[in-house]
Amino acid sequence: YQRRVHGTSLNFCFVTTGKYSMDVYLAQASDYIRSIPFDNVVTNDLEKFTVYAAIAFNIAGYFLLRAFIPPKNLRAKAWVLTLFSSVLCSIVGFYHAITYIQSLMVQNPGTSVIDVLWDIAFQENELIQETEIGRLACLYFIVYLILDLAVGIFDYPSQINFISGWVHHIVYTCLLFYLLQNRICGPFVLALVMELPTVFLSLGSIRSKYRSDYCFGFAFFATRILFHGFYLIQLFRFLKVHTVVTKVCAVAFAMHSHWFFKWIRYMEKSDEKKKPTKGAKAA
């Protein structure tokens, strides 16, 4: 699959033999990133500061929290950076969603929230409007994705899954560069509300006593199934130019649906294990 972006090519290699070629995949992503005119990505001093601050915050925070994690607990280490990212991105996502809807209601007096969400909020000229908070969120998330792989290679290599690690992080890095280049970060920052279930997942992975399967499941269903499904329908309805965003969103929705089905199966098996046997009832 190839897409032209400002005269450069964004290539993805889909291997049909059932085996992934890591060398080819990384090389193509690397070539695309090297071809990006970074003056279109980091455009002012505030954005430069955000990149440096994000690097410093994540590295300092990781090694500070890492000191309280047993050395052999690689799973807990692997979720530290994700915890930082999911908490911050969830806050930014909900803040942006609320202020965005409020601003549209002010611009369209007498319009209900439902009408704004269904007919106005996802119109292309509204959704893709560039905001500074959107650009900063994209830059922060790029830093997180790169650092998670970089730190993981040295500190928790066994925890970096090929699909959810390498493929996910590299594809999203390329997508975010595309959004920054084209100045259409609106769709991404609105979708950050879907980071909420990752907060529960990260907390439970770092400290088992904070694990709540039902909180995670409810948050996942509300954001990555209901909201994501609605979000995808609206993108198909209104986003006609930057269709790469819709395509990535559709693939992500299929993946989220698969994960949610696996969570349901896990909870069913977990409940079955908790049920007392007939012998136990008789006793």
Side-chain angles (χ1 to χ4, degrees), residues 113-220:
V113 175
I114 295 177
D115 289 336
V116 167
L117 287 172
W118 185 250
D119 293 322
I120 301 174
F122 291 87
Q123 289 185 12
E124 192 159 27
N125 62 320
E126 296 287 354
L127 182 63
I128 66 174
Q129 283 190 18
E130 185 77 332
T131 61
E132 193 62 60
I133 191 173
R135 295 190 65 82
L136 299 182
C138 283
L139 289 169
Y140 176 87
F141 207 73
I142 288 174
V143 170
Y144 153 69
L145 293 170
I146 294 174
L147 282 181
D148 193 34
L149 291 178
V151 174
I153 289 173
F154 296 100
D155 222 15
Y156 42 87
S158 62
Q159 300 298 307
I160 304 179
N161 179 272
F162 181 80
I163 298 297
S164 61
W166 288 104
V167 174
H168 173 276
H169 284 26
I170 292 174
V171 168
Y172 268 87
T173 298
C174 292
L175 174 65
L176 292 173
F177 277 129
Y178 171 82
L179 298 179
L180 287 163
Q181 273 188 277
N182 289 274
R183 307 190 71 82
I184 52 167
C185 296
F188 173 75
V189 70
L190 189 61
L192 285 178
V193 298
M194 288 187 274
E195 286 297 297
L196 179 61
T198 310
V199 175
F200 297 107
L201 185 60
S202 301
L203 283 171
S205 299
I206 295 173
R207 284 285 186 271
S208 58
K209 67 178 180 179
Y210 297 133
R211 175 170 175 164
S212 175
D213 291 330
Y214 286 104
C215 285
F216 166 78
F218 176 79
F220 195 100

Side-chain angles (χ1 to χ4, degrees), residues 14-36:
F14 297 96
V15 182
T16 58
T17 60
K19 295 181 179 179
Y20 296 95
S21 174
M22 174 66 80
D23 291 341
V24 172
Y25 185 80
L26 291 178
Q28 290 182 337
S30 178
D31 288 343
Y32 165 68
I33 292 173
R34 281 200 300 268
S35 70
I36 294 172

Side-chain angles (χ1 to χ4, degrees), residues 44-55:
N44 56 50
D45 290 339
L46 177 60
E47 292 175 8
K48 291 179 182 178
F49 173 79
T50 298
V51 171
Y52 296 137
I55 294 172

